[in-house]
Amino acid sequence: MSKDPNAIRLHIPGPVEISPGTYEAMTTAMIGHRSKDFVSLYEEIHPHLQAIMGTEQPVFLSTSSAWGIMEGALRNLVAKKVLCCCSGAFSDKWVDVARRCGKDAEALQYEWGTPINPADVDAKLATGEFDTVTFIHNETSTGVLNPLKEVAEVVRKYDDVLLVTDTVSSFSVVPIEFDKLGVDVLLTGSQKALALPPGLAIFSASERAMERSAKLDDRGYYFDFHEFKKNWEKFMTPSTPCISTIFGLRHQLLTIAEEGLENRFARHEKLNDIAKAWVVDNGFEFLAPEGFRSKSLTCVKNNKDINVAKLQTILRDDHKLALDGGYGKIKGKTFRISNMGDETEETLGNLLAALDDGLAKL
Ligand SMILES: *Cc1c(COP(=O)(O)O)cnc(C)c1O
């Protein structure tokens, strides 16, 4: 909710709506990034980030969107060949990004909406060709929550294979156990599940990942994991970070701590159930199969062949709400209802009532 009375309330799956408290926190007076104030800020937020990630490893702050670290992880880790688990817009793009970084990459390709099958990952890794796997926990474009635990178990059977996991839209929505699962790089971005403005990526890297990275000499500067580590030792960042967004992050982390992580998971689940019930009640279907549906958003299959673009216009003009109309090649064939961030039964209820109104007016 912004101060602008004409602002369109965001119900798209990123960037999501930002709370007044977060906006307020972001107006905190600027500080120097080499000052004691910054060190205290980083020190204060660090244990909160570790708790959400389920890690005792250092957690790094990168002033970039998530793609910065998605590309950076490839540059830091891939020496031989990367297996990219592909089943939606973000995961498909990752294989392209790997090739643009000059890496040997292969797509383990599924239809959009299909979850990753750990047995297929196992079969690929058994060839011995790969040293890295990219995996998207919650594929935001299709609303699929992929089986992280099962895929991590498979990858851990192979000592020399590292697992990079994107939790951009699942971070603080469902429990994540970085250390226990043996993930090697875990990353998220600010404008989705954390309900902050875009521009900040947060990540952690295992000791295995840091050792591999130390051996690669073309990892550049901006996303060099060892630069992050070296600066982290002083609770600093390699270059000037987006300090205002980090003030916003502190506010969000304190809010999350106050709500309680378990309660936050439960709230997301409850809101997600409400959205799913709306889908069923209105005769729509889901793109994702049962058992693999995201808790952050619902990707609705347009099986009734409604005019999604018109529905978006009605929501925007009559209700000042932004609805997503499907991503990339499934635009118009799907639409998505986001419940991530600071949504409540009231705000989601308003959206669903607006959707009812929109459907009646089509
Ligand atoms: C949005 C998103 C990204 C990309 O984030 P940017 O902030 O645009 O870099 C990557 N992965 C997932 C799962 C996403 O939802």
Side-chain angles (χ1 to χ4, degrees):
M1 198 174 83
S2 97
K3 284 181 189 158
D4 174 1
N6 294 316
I8 303 287
R9 192 178 197 284
L10 296 178
H11 272 285
I12 54 175
V16 309
E17 188 67 12
I18 292 166
S19 74
T22 301
Y23 275 127
E24 178 71 30
M26 290 183 61
T27 63
T28 307
M30 190 50 58
I31 55 175
H33 69 297
R34 300 295 179 215
S35 70
K36 271 198 212 131
D37 291 338
F38 183 79
V39 172
S40 324
L41 173 62
Y42 198 165
E43 221 169 357
E44 183 184 350
I45 62 176
H46 194 259
H48 293 276
L49 291 170
Q50 284 182 314
I52 304 175
M53 262 188 201
T55 189
E56 291 184 359
Q57 309 281 339
V59 180
F60 307 122
L61 303 174
S62 168
T63 295
S64 65
S65 80
W67 274 115
I69 296 303
M70 291 166 83
E71 173 166 328
L74 299 164
R75 294 196 61 183
N76 276 269
L77 304 185
V78 183
K80 213 155 74 175
K81 189 172 179 183
V82 56
L83 180 69
C84 300
C85 301
C86 297
S87 61
F90 296 104
S91 46
D92 282 12
K93 186 168 158 180
W94 219 345
V95 71
D96 178 39
V97 170
R99 290 182 181 132
R100 292 195 205 191
C101 290
K103 301 296 181 183
D104 195 3
E106 184 176 322
L108 176 60
Q109 188 70 55
Y110 297 87
E111 290 250 338
W112 282 25
T114 307
I116 308 301
N117 181 350
D120 296 338
V121 177
D122 203 355
K124 282 285 173 196
L125 296 185
T127 64
E129 283 178 46
F130 302 95
D131 65 359
T132 310
V133 175
T134 65
F135 175 80
I136 294 196
H137 188 203
N138 192 73
E139 179 48 84
T140 319
S141 61
T142 60
V144 170
L145 185 64
N146 280 306
L148 171 59
K149 184 168 168 279
E150 290 76 5
V151 168
E153 271 166 16
V154 162
V155 178
R156 281 288 52 84
K157 292 190 342 193
Y158 301 87
D159 279 347
D160 53 347
V161 182
L162 301 177
L163 176 61
V164 184
T165 301
D166 163 330
T167 63
V168 171
S169 55
S170 55
F171 194 79
S172 81
V173 172
V174 293
I176 294 166
E177 295 180 293
F178 180 101
D179 291 348
K180 213 160 133 193
L181 295 175
V183 173
D184 294 293
V185 174
L186 194 127
L187 68 103
T188 192
S190 51
Q191 80 277 21
K192 308 255 174 106
L194 282 170
L196 290 166
L200 179 68
I202 301 164
F203 74 105
S204 185
S206 68
E207 276 174 31
R208 272 189 304 266
M210 296 307 286
E211 279 166 28
R212 168 85 61 79
S213 166
K215 290 184 213 142
L216 267 70
D217 57 11
D218 62 347
R219 53 186 200 270
Y221 164 72
Y222 198 73
F223 297 114
D224 178 357
F225 287 3
H226 289 273
E227 285 293 334
F228 282 97
K229 181 78 187 292
K230 207 168 70 191
N231 280 277
W232 170 84
E233 282 160 8
K234 302 172 284 185
F235 279 115
M236 284 186 195
T237 53
S239 57
T240 319
C242 48
I243 295 171
S244 300
T245 307
I246 299 171
F247 281 129
L249 174 63
R250 173 169 67 184
H251 172 81
Q252 278 303 62
L253 293 172
L254 295 175
T255 307
I256 291 170
E258 208 171 288
E259 180 179 17
L261 208 43
E262 293 300 326
N263 293 334
R264 185 177 172 87
F265 300 151
R267 172 169 59 83
H268 277 87
E269 175 131 26
K270 185 166 184 193
L271 295 182
N272 191 251
D273 284 345
I274 294 171
K276 288 194 169 83
W278 181 91
V279 172
V280 173
D281 289 349
N282 284 278
F284 286 109
E285 293 166 6
F286 303 96
L287 187 68
E290 173 113 53
F292 297 92
R293 290 180 194 146
S294 168
K295 308 279 183 199
S296 323
L297 72 141
T298 303
C299 186
V300 187
K301 200 193 270 183
N302 185 10
N303 51 293
K304 291 165 66 171
D305 206 20
I306 61 159
N307 185 337
V308 172
K310 190 166 172 203
L311 181 64
Q312 287 177 286
T313 306
I314 296 168
L315 257 67
R316 190 180 171 91
D317 292 351
D318 299 357
H319 300 275
K320 289 190 180 150
L321 298 175
L323 174 76
D324 166 84
Y327 197 107
K329 66 181 180 190
I330 51 175
K331 186 173 174 178
K333 296 186 184 126
T334 56
F335 58 97
R336 296 177 297 169
I337 302 171
S338 168
N339 62 272
M340 59 181 130
D342 303 324
E343 299 301 335
T344 62
E345 279 182 61
E346 189 189 346
T347 61
L348 181 66
N350 289 342
L351 173 72
L352 298 179
L355 280 170
D356 288 338
D357 179 57
L359 288 180
K361 285 178 181 163
L362 282 178

